[in-house]
Amino acid sequence: MQVGVLALQGAFAAHSDCLTSIGVQSIEVRNTEQLSSVDALLMPGGESSTMSQLLESSGLFDPIATRIADGMPVFGTCAGMILLASEILDGRSDQRSFSAIDISVRRNAFGRQVDSFEATINSSVGDFHGVFIRAPRIERVGDQVEVLGSINDEPVLVRQGNVLAASFHPELSNDARLHEYFVSITANKKKV
Amino acid sequence: MVSTNGSSSTGTQRVKRGLAEMLKGGVIMDVVNSDQAKIAEDAGACAVMALERVPADIRRDGGVARMSDPEMIMAIQASVHIPVMAKVRIGHFVEAQILQSLGVDFIDESEVLTPADETHHIDKFDFTIPFVCGATNLGEALRRVSEGAALIRSKGEAGTGNMVEAVRHLRSILGDIRKITQADSAELFEWAKRLQAPLSLVQEIAETGKLQVPVFAAGGIATPADAALAMQLGAETVFVGSGIFKSADPAPRAKAIVEATTHFRDADVLARVSRGLGVAMTGIAMDEINETQRFAQRGW
C-alpha cells in the first residue's frame, strides 16, 4: 500500500514523518504522475487558498476529484479539511473544494494565531491531544456524516465513507493513532 | 506566554511552531498596503509581511526604521485571509506587545529595522504569538531558539535583490547541522563552545539531525530560480521582500515564485514559470554596499 501526501504547501513533512513512524511508506504528491501511484491521499494543513491555486496550476484538481469519486480514501487536516468540505464559509470567492464530505466549514473561525490552542479531544477512536492552528470550524454536519470526535460538544473529527476530516493537527502531537486509523480504512478498502 | 483554561492552552511552543509548520513550502511576501496584500494572496502567498517600506526603500532612505503604523497593519489584516506578519526592531519588546495586541499572527524581530537594544533580543517566551528571527550561522540560530523563536530565517542581505548572503547563511546553518550529526558526544561540548549556544540544543540536533524549528530563506530572493535554489539548499519556505513589488510586473512574478517554491526540484516547471516575467529588480552587488550599511551584521 502506498499513501500519498499532497505536498503543494503546508505541513506535509510532518505527516510523512507520522506515516514513517508507523511503518507506512508514503510519497509526496505534486503532480498527476505521483498521484496515479498512490492508494490513498492525505491533505495537510497549510493555507487552503494557496493550495487551491496550486491544485489548479499543477493540473491536480480534476484528477484528485475523479479519484475521490472512484472511492480513493482521503484524510484532510485543517486546510485539507476545508478542501474536502461541501461548503466553505469566509473563504475566497474563487476558492474551489472537492465537496467530498457533506459539511460546512468556516475558515479561521477559531480566530487568529493568538487564539490557537491545544486541548484534549474525546473521540470514538480514542482520546487525542489536539493542536488547533488558526483552525476552521465545522458549522454543519450532513446526515451521512459520522462525528467521531468533538471538543466542547463541537465536531472536530468527522467521517463520511472513505473521507476522513479533522479541524486539528494530529501530525503535530507525536501521536500516529489517527494515521493508523486512516491506513486501516485504506487497507479495508483494498480487500473489497 | 502559556495560558491555560481548563484543558485548553494557548501560546505553547507546540502551537507556535505549529504555525511555522503550516507555512512550509510556501512564499511569504512583503507588502506595504492592502492592494499589494491582495495581489500577494491572489498569487498564492501563504502569508504576508506588512511593512511601511520594503527593505530596498529602507536602504535607500536611511535614517531610523521602526515598526509600521498599526492602522496600515490593520488595513492589511482586514483585506486578506492568510496570516499577517509584521516586523519589530531587535530588542524592542514594546513594539512586540503592540503587534500582539493587534492580533498579528507572527512577529519578525528584524535586523532590517534599526535595532533598539545593542545587547538583548526580546524574551520571546513572554508572548502568546510566535516570533521569527534572522540568523547568519547556527550559533545565532540556536541563541534565538533558546530565547523562544518558533522559526529561523537566513538574514541574507535584505533589499539588495542579491541572494549571495542568503546562500552563505543557509549553507553555514544547514552545513553545521550536518557536521554535528557526525560528531561524537565529546565533540558536542566543543561545538557548543564554538557556536556560543546551549549544549542541550546542540545535543538535540545531534540526535534529530535538524534544527528545533523550521528554517526558511530570506534576503535578496528576486526570481523563481532564486526561490528554488534556496529550497534545494534545504530551506523550507521563502520570504520575498523587495523582489516582487520592486520588479516591473509584480503579479505574474509573485505567482511564478509560488509555483517555483512548490515544484523546486522540477526543472521543467521552473523553466515554464520563469518565462516572460519582465525585468527583475535591479539589485546591488555586495562590494557596492559599505560595511556599515549591511543589515545582516545587526543582532548578536
Side-chain angles (χ1 to χ4, degrees), chain A residues 8-10 30 47 50 53-54 90 92 108 112-113 117-118 134 169 172, chain B residues 8-10 12 14-15 22 24 41-42 44-46 81 83 103 105 262-263:
Chain A
L8 297 174
Q9 193 272 319
R30 293 187 175 85
E47 283 308 313
T50 302
Q53 288 172 62
L54 286 162
D90 285 349
R92 286 169 56 90
N108 304 143
R112 296 183 189 277
Q113 177 62 15
F117 64 100
E118 43 185 310
R134 288 170 41 93
H169 294 281
L172 295 181
Chain B
S8 161
S9 307
T10 57
T12 62
R14 186 175 274 163
V15 164
M22 296 312 131
K24 281 187 178 176
E41 188 180 52
D42 287 347
C46 68
H81 296 281
D105 295 294
T262 293
H263 303 285

PDB file of all heavy atoms in Angstrom, chain A residues 8-10 30 47 50 53-54 90 92 108 112-113 117-118 134 169 172, chain B residues 8-10 12 14-15 22 24 41-42 44-46 81 83 103 105 262-263:
ATOM      1  N   LEU A   8       1.849  20.308  -1.944  1.00  0.00           N
ATOM      2  CA  LEU A   8       1.871  21.591  -2.659  1.00  0.00           C
ATOM      3  C   LEU A   8       2.297  22.714  -1.730  1.00  0.00           C
ATOM      4  O   LEU A   8       3.046  23.599  -2.100  1.00  0.00           O
ATOM      5  CB  LEU A   8       0.480  21.884  -3.241  1.00  0.00           C
ATOM      6  CG  LEU A   8      -0.003  20.870  -4.282  1.00  0.00           C
ATOM      7  CD1 LEU A   8      -1.435  21.156  -4.677  1.00  0.00           C
ATOM      8  CD2 LEU A   8       0.912  20.885  -5.506  1.00  0.00           C
ATOM      9  N   GLN A   9       1.804  22.668  -0.494  1.00  0.00           N
ATOM     10  CA  GLN A   9       2.173  23.672   0.516  1.00  0.00           C
ATOM     11  C   GLN A   9       1.644  23.179   1.863  1.00  0.00           C
ATOM     12  O   GLN A   9       0.626  22.500   1.917  1.00  0.00           O
ATOM     13  CB  GLN A   9       1.537  25.034   0.162  1.00  0.00           C
ATOM     14  CG  GLN A   9       2.087  26.223   0.946  1.00  0.00           C
ATOM     15  CD  GLN A   9       1.337  26.450   2.257  1.00  0.00           C
ATOM     16  OE1 GLN A   9       0.127  26.348   2.305  1.00  0.00           O
ATOM     17  NE2 GLN A   9       2.071  26.746   3.316  1.00  0.00           N
ATOM     18  N   GLY A  10       2.356  23.507   2.939  1.00  0.00           N
ATOM     19  CA  GLY A  10       1.853  23.209   4.272  1.00  0.00           C
ATOM     20  C   GLY A  10       2.647  22.147   5.007  1.00  0.00           C
ATOM     21  O   GLY A  10       3.821  21.910   4.710  1.00  0.00           O
ATOM     22  N   ARG A  30       2.999  15.998  -5.963  1.00  0.00           N
ATOM     23  CA  ARG A  30       2.967  17.354  -6.523  1.00  0.00           C
ATOM     24  C   ARG A  30       2.496  17.354  -7.982  1.00  0.00           C
ATOM     25  O   ARG A  30       2.316  18.405  -8.571  1.00  0.00           O
ATOM     26  CB  ARG A  30       4.363  17.996  -6.470  1.00  0.00           C
ATOM     27  CG  ARG A  30       4.874  18.283  -5.073  1.00  0.00           C
ATOM     28  CD  ARG A  30       6.188  19.072  -5.128  1.00  0.00           C
ATOM     29  NE  ARG A  30       6.650  19.454  -3.807  1.00  0.00           N
ATOM     30  CZ  ARG A  30       7.375  18.670  -3.007  1.00  0.00           C
ATOM     31  NH1 ARG A  30       7.715  17.462  -3.389  1.00  0.00           N
ATOM     32  NH2 ARG A  30       7.752  19.100  -1.821  1.00  0.00           N
ATOM     33  N   GLU A  47      -2.204  26.759   4.002  1.00  0.00           N
ATOM     34  CA  GLU A  47      -3.174  27.782   3.612  1.00  0.00           C
ATOM     35  C   GLU A  47      -4.039  27.230   2.482  1.00  0.00           C
ATOM     36  O   GLU A  47      -3.534  26.929   1.406  1.00  0.00           O
ATOM     37  CB  GLU A  47      -2.464  29.071   3.207  1.00  0.00           C
ATOM     38  CG  GLU A  47      -1.963  29.869   4.399  1.00  0.00           C
ATOM     39  CD  GLU A  47      -3.053  30.136   5.445  1.00  0.00           C
ATOM     40  OE1 GLU A  47      -4.164  30.546   5.066  1.00  0.00           O
ATOM     41  OE2 GLU A  47      -2.796  29.925   6.642  1.00  0.00           O
ATOM     42  N   THR A  50      -3.845  29.034  -0.900  1.00  0.00           N
ATOM     43  CA  THR A  50      -2.613  28.737  -1.625  1.00  0.00           C
ATOM     44  C   THR A  50      -2.715  27.375  -2.292  1.00  0.00           C
ATOM     45  O   THR A  50      -2.402  27.204  -3.473  1.00  0.00           O
ATOM     46  CB  THR A  50      -1.419  28.737  -0.643  1.00  0.00           C
ATOM     47  OG1 THR A  50      -1.361  30.005   0.004  1.00  0.00           O
ATOM     48  CG2 THR A  50      -0.106  28.466  -1.353  1.00  0.00           C
ATOM     49  N   GLN A  53      -5.010  27.240  -5.363  1.00  0.00           N
ATOM     50  CA  GLN A  53      -4.399  27.761  -6.586  1.00  0.00           C
ATOM     51  C   GLN A  53      -3.357  26.808  -7.157  1.00  0.00           C
ATOM     52  O   GLN A  53      -3.265  26.633  -8.364  1.00  0.00           O
ATOM     53  CB  GLN A  53      -3.786  29.119  -6.303  1.00  0.00           C
ATOM     54  CG  GLN A  53      -4.871  30.149  -6.109  1.00  0.00           C
ATOM     55  CD  GLN A  53      -4.343  31.459  -5.631  1.00  0.00           C
ATOM     56  OE1 GLN A  53      -3.560  32.079  -6.317  1.00  0.00           O
ATOM     57  NE2 GLN A  53      -4.757  31.880  -4.463  1.00  0.00           N
ATOM     58  N   LEU A  54      -2.593  26.171  -6.267  1.00  0.00           N
ATOM     59  CA  LEU A  54      -1.577  25.238  -6.752  1.00  0.00           C
ATOM     60  C   LEU A  54      -2.213  23.949  -7.284  1.00  0.00           C
ATOM     61  O   LEU A  54      -1.652  23.300  -8.165  1.00  0.00           O
ATOM     62  CB  LEU A  54      -0.571  24.941  -5.638  1.00  0.00           C
ATOM     63  CG  LEU A  54       0.399  26.111  -5.361  1.00  0.00           C
ATOM     64  CD1 LEU A  54       1.057  25.965  -3.999  1.00  0.00           C
ATOM     65  CD2 LEU A  54       1.472  26.195  -6.448  1.00  0.00           C
ATOM     66  N   ASP A  90     -16.569  32.061   4.618  1.00  0.00           N
ATOM     67  CA  ASP A  90     -15.459  33.003   4.829  1.00  0.00           C
ATOM     68  C   ASP A  90     -14.209  32.644   4.031  1.00  0.00           C
ATOM     69  O   ASP A  90     -13.103  33.029   4.416  1.00  0.00           O
ATOM     70  CB  ASP A  90     -15.067  33.093   6.322  1.00  0.00           C
ATOM     71  CG  ASP A  90     -16.071  33.905   7.116  1.00  0.00           C
ATOM     72  OD1 ASP A  90     -16.921  34.555   6.481  1.00  0.00           O
ATOM     73  OD2 ASP A  90     -15.994  33.876   8.350  1.00  0.00           O
ATOM     74  N   ARG A  92     -12.168  32.503   0.108  1.00  0.00           N
ATOM     75  CA  ARG A  92     -12.123  33.387  -1.044  1.00  0.00           C
ATOM     76  C   ARG A  92     -13.257  32.998  -1.977  1.00  0.00           C
ATOM     77  O   ARG A  92     -13.620  31.831  -2.072  1.00  0.00           O
ATOM     78  CB  ARG A  92     -10.795  33.201  -1.783  1.00  0.00           C
ATOM     79  CG  ARG A  92      -9.602  33.804  -1.085  1.00  0.00           C
ATOM     80  CD  ARG A  92      -8.334  33.339  -1.763  1.00  0.00           C
ATOM     81  NE  ARG A  92      -8.361  33.667  -3.190  1.00  0.00           N
ATOM     82  CZ  ARG A  92      -7.908  34.810  -3.708  1.00  0.00           C
ATOM     83  NH1 ARG A  92      -7.391  35.721  -2.926  1.00  0.00           N
ATOM     84  NH2 ARG A  92      -7.954  35.031  -5.002  1.00  0.00           N
ATOM     85  N   ASN A 108     -10.729  29.761   9.521  1.00  0.00           N
ATOM     86  CA  ASN A 108     -10.160  30.548  10.635  1.00  0.00           C
ATOM     87  C   ASN A 108     -11.179  30.941  11.705  1.00  0.00           C
ATOM     88  O   ASN A 108     -11.027  31.955  12.379  1.00  0.00           O
ATOM     89  CB  ASN A 108      -9.487  31.847  10.133  1.00  0.00           C
ATOM     90  CG  ASN A 108      -8.412  31.612   9.080  1.00  0.00           C
ATOM     91  OD1 ASN A 108      -8.266  32.379   8.163  1.00  0.00           O
ATOM     92  ND2 ASN A 108      -7.672  30.525   9.206  1.00  0.00           N
ATOM     93  N   ARG A 112      -7.426  34.163  15.130  1.00  0.00           N
ATOM     94  CA  ARG A 112      -6.064  34.334  14.631  1.00  0.00           C
ATOM     95  C   ARG A 112      -5.101  33.503  15.464  1.00  0.00           C
ATOM     96  O   ARG A 112      -5.496  32.841  16.425  1.00  0.00           O
ATOM     97  CB  ARG A 112      -5.671  35.816  14.710  1.00  0.00           C
ATOM     98  CG  ARG A 112      -6.492  36.719  13.817  1.00  0.00           C
ATOM     99  CD  ARG A 112      -5.984  38.148  13.916  1.00  0.00           C
ATOM    100  NE  ARG A 112      -6.869  39.091  13.242  1.00  0.00           N
ATOM    101  CZ  ARG A 112      -6.839  39.328  11.933  1.00  0.00           C
ATOM    102  NH1 ARG A 112      -5.982  38.688  11.161  1.00  0.00           N
ATOM    103  NH2 ARG A 112      -7.674  40.193  11.393  1.00  0.00           N
ATOM    104  N   GLN A 113      -3.802  33.618  15.141  1.00  0.00           N
ATOM    105  CA  GLN A 113      -2.799  32.798  15.823  1.00  0.00           C
ATOM    106  C   GLN A 113      -2.814  33.000  17.338  1.00  0.00           C
ATOM    107  O   GLN A 113      -2.566  32.074  18.099  1.00  0.00           O
ATOM    108  CB  GLN A 113      -1.412  33.082  15.252  1.00  0.00           C
ATOM    109  CG  GLN A 113      -0.260  32.343  15.944  1.00  0.00           C
ATOM    110  CD  GLN A 113      -0.367  30.835  15.824  1.00  0.00           C
ATOM    111  OE1 GLN A 113      -1.133  30.307  15.018  1.00  0.00           O
ATOM    112  NE2 GLN A 113       0.375  30.121  16.662  1.00  0.00           N
ATOM    113  N   PHE A 117      -4.693  27.004  19.928  1.00  0.00           N
ATOM    114  CA  PHE A 117      -4.641  26.335  21.228  1.00  0.00           C
ATOM    115  C   PHE A 117      -4.427  24.839  21.074  1.00  0.00           C
ATOM    116  O   PHE A 117      -4.539  24.288  19.981  1.00  0.00           O
ATOM    117  CB  PHE A 117      -5.943  26.585  22.004  1.00  0.00           C
ATOM    118  CG  PHE A 117      -7.175  25.998  21.350  1.00  0.00           C
ATOM    119  CD1 PHE A 117      -7.714  24.790  21.784  1.00  0.00           C
ATOM    120  CD2 PHE A 117      -7.788  26.647  20.278  1.00  0.00           C
ATOM    121  CE1 PHE A 117      -8.856  24.243  21.177  1.00  0.00           C
ATOM    122  CE2 PHE A 117      -8.915  26.109  19.667  1.00  0.00           C
ATOM    123  CZ  PHE A 117      -9.452  24.914  20.119  1.00  0.00           C
ATOM    124  N   GLU A 118      -4.099  24.187  22.201  1.00  0.00           N
ATOM    125  CA  GLU A 118      -4.104  22.727  22.223  1.00  0.00           C
ATOM    126  C   GLU A 118      -5.013  22.263  23.349  1.00  0.00           C
ATOM    127  O   GLU A 118      -5.101  22.907  24.395  1.00  0.00           O
ATOM    128  CB  GLU A 118      -2.694  22.146  22.341  1.00  0.00           C
ATOM    129  CG  GLU A 118      -1.745  22.782  23.306  1.00  0.00           C
ATOM    130  CD  GLU A 118      -0.342  22.156  23.210  1.00  0.00           C
ATOM    131  OE1 GLU A 118      -0.235  20.926  23.248  1.00  0.00           O
ATOM    132  OE2 GLU A 118       0.636  22.915  23.111  1.00  0.00           O
ATOM    133  N   ARG A 134      -5.066  28.436  14.004  1.00  0.00           N
ATOM    134  CA  ARG A 134      -5.959  29.289  13.180  1.00  0.00           C
ATOM    135  C   ARG A 134      -7.041  28.391  12.557  1.00  0.00           C
ATOM    136  O   ARG A 134      -7.301  28.420  11.352  1.00  0.00           O
ATOM    137  CB  ARG A 134      -5.153  29.983  12.063  1.00  0.00           C
ATOM    138  CG  ARG A 134      -4.227  31.097  12.575  1.00  0.00           C
ATOM    139  CD  ARG A 134      -3.260  31.604  11.502  1.00  0.00           C
ATOM    140  NE  ARG A 134      -3.848  31.758  10.187  1.00  0.00           N
ATOM    141  CZ  ARG A 134      -4.376  32.887   9.706  1.00  0.00           C
ATOM    142  NH1 ARG A 134      -4.397  33.970  10.426  1.00  0.00           N
ATOM    143  NH2 ARG A 134      -4.882  32.933   8.494  1.00  0.00           N
ATOM    144  N   HIS A 169      -4.575  19.145  14.179  1.00  0.00           N
ATOM    145  CA  HIS A 169      -3.348  18.642  13.560  1.00  0.00           C
ATOM    146  C   HIS A 169      -2.776  17.438  14.296  1.00  0.00           C
ATOM    147  O   HIS A 169      -1.897  17.603  15.146  1.00  0.00           O
ATOM    148  CB  HIS A 169      -2.295  19.760  13.537  1.00  0.00           C
ATOM    149  CG  HIS A 169      -2.670  20.884  12.651  1.00  0.00           C
ATOM    150  ND1 HIS A 169      -2.532  20.830  11.289  1.00  0.00           N
ATOM    151  CD2 HIS A 169      -3.222  22.081  12.924  1.00  0.00           C
ATOM    152  CE1 HIS A 169      -2.975  21.952  10.761  1.00  0.00           C
ATOM    153  NE2 HIS A 169      -3.401  22.725  11.735  1.00  0.00           N
ATOM    154  N   LEU A 172       1.084  17.022  14.598  1.00  0.00           N
ATOM    155  CA  LEU A 172       1.938  17.878  15.436  1.00  0.00           C
ATOM    156  C   LEU A 172       2.058  17.367  16.874  1.00  0.00           C
ATOM    157  O   LEU A 172       2.713  17.994  17.693  1.00  0.00           O
ATOM    158  CB  LEU A 172       1.401  19.315  15.469  1.00  0.00           C
ATOM    159  CG  LEU A 172       1.411  20.078  14.147  1.00  0.00           C
ATOM    160  CD1 LEU A 172       0.874  21.495  14.353  1.00  0.00           C
ATOM    161  CD2 LEU A 172       2.811  20.131  13.549  1.00  0.00           C
TER     162      LEU A 172
ATOM    163  N   SER B   8      -7.526  23.468  27.989  1.00  0.00           N
ATOM    164  CA  SER B   8      -7.078  24.106  26.761  1.00  0.00           C
ATOM    165  C   SER B   8      -5.964  25.123  27.038  1.00  0.00           C
ATOM    166  O   SER B   8      -6.064  25.909  27.974  1.00  0.00           O
ATOM    167  CB  SER B   8      -8.307  24.782  26.128  1.00  0.00           C
ATOM    168  OG  SER B   8      -7.935  25.750  25.221  1.00  0.00           O
ATOM    169  N   SER B   9      -4.873  25.106  26.236  1.00  0.00           N
ATOM    170  CA  SER B   9      -3.753  26.025  26.438  1.00  0.00           C
ATOM    171  C   SER B   9      -3.443  26.804  25.173  1.00  0.00           C
ATOM    172  O   SER B   9      -3.459  26.240  24.078  1.00  0.00           O
ATOM    173  CB  SER B   9      -2.491  25.255  26.823  1.00  0.00           C
ATOM    174  OG  SER B   9      -2.727  24.421  27.910  1.00  0.00           O
ATOM    175  N   THR B  10      -3.093  28.087  25.329  1.00  0.00           N
ATOM    176  CA  THR B  10      -2.631  28.898  24.199  1.00  0.00           C
ATOM    177  C   THR B  10      -1.165  29.279  24.427  1.00  0.00           C
ATOM    178  O   THR B  10      -0.662  29.205  25.547  1.00  0.00           O
ATOM    179  CB  THR B  10      -3.450  30.200  24.064  1.00  0.00           C
ATOM    180  OG1 THR B  10      -3.358  30.918  25.296  1.00  0.00           O
ATOM    181  CG2 THR B  10      -4.912  29.929  23.765  1.00  0.00           C
ATOM    182  N   THR B  12       1.636  27.923  23.595  1.00  0.00           N
ATOM    183  CA  THR B  12       2.654  26.895  23.853  1.00  0.00           C
ATOM    184  C   THR B  12       3.645  26.847  22.691  1.00  0.00           C
ATOM    185  O   THR B  12       3.351  27.313  21.591  1.00  0.00           O
ATOM    186  CB  THR B  12       2.007  25.506  23.991  1.00  0.00           C
ATOM    187  OG1 THR B  12       1.363  25.197  22.750  1.00  0.00           O
ATOM    188  CG2 THR B  12       0.952  25.484  25.096  1.00  0.00           C
ATOM    189  N   ARG B  14       4.425  24.297  21.053  1.00  0.00           N
ATOM    190  CA  ARG B  14       3.865  23.444  20.008  1.00  0.00           C
ATOM    191  C   ARG B  14       2.914  24.228  19.108  1.00  0.00           C
ATOM    192  O   ARG B  14       2.907  24.065  17.890  1.00  0.00           O
ATOM    193  CB  ARG B  14       3.139  22.270  20.674  1.00  0.00           C
ATOM    194  CG  ARG B  14       2.628  21.247  19.701  1.00  0.00           C
ATOM    195  CD  ARG B  14       2.034  20.069  20.420  1.00  0.00           C
ATOM    196  NE  ARG B  14       3.035  19.081  20.761  1.00  0.00           N
ATOM    197  CZ  ARG B  14       2.848  18.122  21.659  1.00  0.00           C
ATOM    198  NH1 ARG B  14       1.714  18.030  22.308  1.00  0.00           N
ATOM    199  NH2 ARG B  14       3.795  17.250  21.913  1.00  0.00           N
ATOM    200  N   VAL B  15       2.118  25.087  19.711  1.00  0.00           N
ATOM    201  CA  VAL B  15       1.178  25.897  18.935  1.00  0.00           C
ATOM    202  C   VAL B  15       1.943  26.938  18.103  1.00  0.00           C
ATOM    203  O   VAL B  15       1.605  27.218  16.955  1.00  0.00           O
ATOM    204  CB  VAL B  15       0.153  26.563  19.887  1.00  0.00           C
ATOM    205  CG1 VAL B  15      -0.579  27.694  19.198  1.00  0.00           C
ATOM    206  CG2 VAL B  15      -0.837  25.518  20.399  1.00  0.00           C
ATOM    207  N   MET B  22       2.855  25.113   9.205  1.00  0.00           N
ATOM    208  CA  MET B  22       1.801  25.358   8.210  1.00  0.00           C
ATOM    209  C   MET B  22       2.286  26.240   7.055  1.00  0.00           C
ATOM    210  O   MET B  22       1.683  26.269   5.991  1.00  0.00           O
ATOM    211  CB  MET B  22       0.581  26.045   8.853  1.00  0.00           C
ATOM    212  CG  MET B  22      -0.135  25.228   9.893  1.00  0.00           C
ATOM    213  SD  MET B  22      -0.472  23.560   9.344  1.00  0.00           S
ATOM    214  CE  MET B  22       0.147  22.651  10.751  1.00  0.00           C
ATOM    215  N   LYS B  24       5.184  25.985   5.619  1.00  0.00           N
ATOM    216  CA  LYS B  24       6.212  25.314   4.817  1.00  0.00           C
ATOM    217  C   LYS B  24       5.803  25.169   3.350  1.00  0.00           C
ATOM    218  O   LYS B  24       4.623  25.004   3.044  1.00  0.00           O
ATOM    219  CB  LYS B  24       6.507  23.934   5.402  1.00  0.00           C
ATOM    220  CG  LYS B  24       7.430  23.990   6.614  1.00  0.00           C
ATOM    221  CD  LYS B  24       7.824  22.593   7.035  1.00  0.00           C
ATOM    222  CE  LYS B  24       8.779  22.630   8.224  1.00  0.00           C
ATOM    223  NZ  LYS B  24       9.070  21.251   8.688  1.00  0.00           N
ATOM    224  N   GLU B  41      -2.012  37.563  -2.059  1.00  0.00           N
ATOM    225  CA  GLU B  41      -2.919  36.455  -1.765  1.00  0.00           C
ATOM    226  C   GLU B  41      -3.430  35.820  -3.060  1.00  0.00           C
ATOM    227  O   GLU B  41      -3.493  34.594  -3.186  1.00  0.00           O
ATOM    228  CB  GLU B  41      -4.100  36.921  -0.906  1.00  0.00           C
ATOM    229  CG  GLU B  41      -4.956  35.759  -0.413  1.00  0.00           C
ATOM    230  CD  GLU B  41      -6.124  36.216   0.451  1.00  0.00           C
ATOM    231  OE1 GLU B  41      -6.889  37.101   0.016  1.00  0.00           O
ATOM    232  OE2 GLU B  41      -6.274  35.687   1.551  1.00  0.00           O
ATOM    233  N   ASP B  42      -3.784  36.666  -4.044  1.00  0.00           N
ATOM    234  CA  ASP B  42      -4.254  36.154  -5.335  1.00  0.00           C
ATOM    235  C   ASP B  42      -3.193  35.279  -6.004  1.00  0.00           C
ATOM    236  O   ASP B  42      -3.515  34.340  -6.721  1.00  0.00           O
ATOM    237  CB  ASP B  42      -4.592  37.307  -6.291  1.00  0.00           C
ATOM    238  CG  ASP B  42      -5.879  38.015  -5.891  1.00  0.00           C
ATOM    239  OD1 ASP B  42      -6.612  37.461  -5.056  1.00  0.00           O
ATOM    240  OD2 ASP B  42      -6.125  39.123  -6.395  1.00  0.00           O
ATOM    241  N   GLY B  44      -1.121  33.412  -4.484  1.00  0.00           N
ATOM    242  CA  GLY B  44      -0.912  32.170  -3.745  1.00  0.00           C
ATOM    243  C   GLY B  44       0.080  32.287  -2.592  1.00  0.00           C
ATOM    244  O   GLY B  44       0.572  31.273  -2.094  1.00  0.00           O
ATOM    245  N   ALA B  45       0.372  33.500  -2.122  1.00  0.00           N
ATOM    246  CA  ALA B  45       1.245  33.653  -0.945  1.00  0.00           C
ATOM    247  C   ALA B  45       0.618  32.903   0.238  1.00  0.00           C
ATOM    248  O   ALA B  45      -0.606  32.858   0.366  1.00  0.00           O
ATOM    249  CB  ALA B  45       1.400  35.132  -0.594  1.00  0.00           C
ATOM    250  N   CYS B  46       1.461  32.303   1.109  1.00  0.00           N
ATOM    251  CA  CYS B  46       0.916  31.616   2.281  1.00  0.00           C
ATOM    252  C   CYS B  46       0.860  32.562   3.481  1.00  0.00           C
ATOM    253  O   CYS B  46       0.273  32.220   4.509  1.00  0.00           O
ATOM    254  CB  CYS B  46       1.730  30.365   2.607  1.00  0.00           C
ATOM    255  SG  CYS B  46       3.384  30.716   3.185  1.00  0.00           S
ATOM    256  N   HIS B  81      -7.175  36.769   3.965  1.00  0.00           N
ATOM    257  CA  HIS B  81      -7.485  35.646   4.867  1.00  0.00           C
ATOM    258  C   HIS B  81      -6.223  34.988   5.402  1.00  0.00           C
ATOM    259  O   HIS B  81      -6.264  34.265   6.389  1.00  0.00           O
ATOM    260  CB  HIS B  81      -8.281  34.574   4.117  1.00  0.00           C
ATOM    261  CG  HIS B  81      -9.624  35.030   3.643  1.00  0.00           C
ATOM    262  ND1 HIS B  81     -10.706  35.111   4.479  1.00  0.00           N
ATOM    263  CD2 HIS B  81     -10.057  35.427   2.423  1.00  0.00           C
ATOM    264  CE1 HIS B  81     -11.760  35.546   3.790  1.00  0.00           C
ATOM    265  NE2 HIS B  81     -11.373  35.742   2.547  1.00  0.00           N
ATOM    266  N   PRO B  83      -2.281  34.455   6.949  1.00  0.00           N
ATOM    267  CA  PRO B  83      -1.641  35.064   8.113  1.00  0.00           C
ATOM    268  C   PRO B  83      -0.908  36.358   7.755  1.00  0.00           C
ATOM    269  O   PRO B  83      -0.369  36.491   6.656  1.00  0.00           O
ATOM    270  CB  PRO B  83      -0.634  33.995   8.565  1.00  0.00           C
ATOM    271  CG  PRO B  83      -1.152  32.709   8.020  1.00  0.00           C
ATOM    272  CD  PRO B  83      -1.837  33.062   6.739  1.00  0.00           C
ATOM    273  N   GLY B 103      -3.219  41.506  17.148  1.00  0.00           N
ATOM    274  CA  GLY B 103      -3.576  40.183  16.650  1.00  0.00           C
ATOM    275  C   GLY B 103      -2.790  39.772  15.423  1.00  0.00           C
ATOM    276  O   GLY B 103      -3.232  38.942  14.624  1.00  0.00           O
ATOM    277  N   ASP B 105      -0.219  37.635  13.345  1.00  0.00           N
ATOM    278  CA  ASP B 105      -0.050  36.188  13.512  1.00  0.00           C
ATOM    279  C   ASP B 105       1.388  35.774  13.824  1.00  0.00           C
ATOM    280  O   ASP B 105       1.617  34.719  14.422  1.00  0.00           O
ATOM    281  CB  ASP B 105      -0.525  35.456  12.250  1.00  0.00           C
ATOM    282  CG  ASP B 105      -2.018  35.637  12.031  1.00  0.00           C
ATOM    283  OD1 ASP B 105      -2.790  35.140  12.863  1.00  0.00           O
ATOM    284  OD2 ASP B 105      -2.412  36.293  11.052  1.00  0.00           O
ATOM    285  N   THR B 262       6.959  25.465  -4.787  1.00  0.00           N
ATOM    286  CA  THR B 262       6.332  24.140  -4.657  1.00  0.00           C
ATOM    287  C   THR B 262       7.069  23.091  -5.485  1.00  0.00           C
ATOM    288  O   THR B 262       7.369  22.007  -5.005  1.00  0.00           O
ATOM    289  CB  THR B 262       4.858  24.204  -5.119  1.00  0.00           C
ATOM    290  OG1 THR B 262       4.144  25.015  -4.204  1.00  0.00           O
ATOM    291  CG2 THR B 262       4.224  22.813  -5.174  1.00  0.00           C
ATOM    292  N   HIS B 263       7.355  23.443  -6.743  1.00  0.00           N
ATOM    293  CA  HIS B 263       7.942  22.466  -7.670  1.00  0.00           C
ATOM    294  C   HIS B 263       9.448  22.699  -7.787  1.00  0.00           C
ATOM    295  O   HIS B 263      10.001  22.684  -8.885  1.00  0.00           O
ATOM    296  CB  HIS B 263       7.253  22.586  -9.037  1.00  0.00           C
ATOM    297  CG  HIS B 263       5.770  22.393  -8.976  1.00  0.00           C
ATOM    298  ND1 HIS B 263       5.177  21.159  -8.810  1.00  0.00           N
ATOM    299  CD2 HIS B 263       4.747  23.278  -9.008  1.00  0.00           C
ATOM    300  CE1 HIS B 263       3.856  21.299  -8.768  1.00  0.00           C
ATOM    301  NE2 HIS B 263       3.569  22.573  -8.886  1.00  0.00           N
TER     302      HIS B 263
END
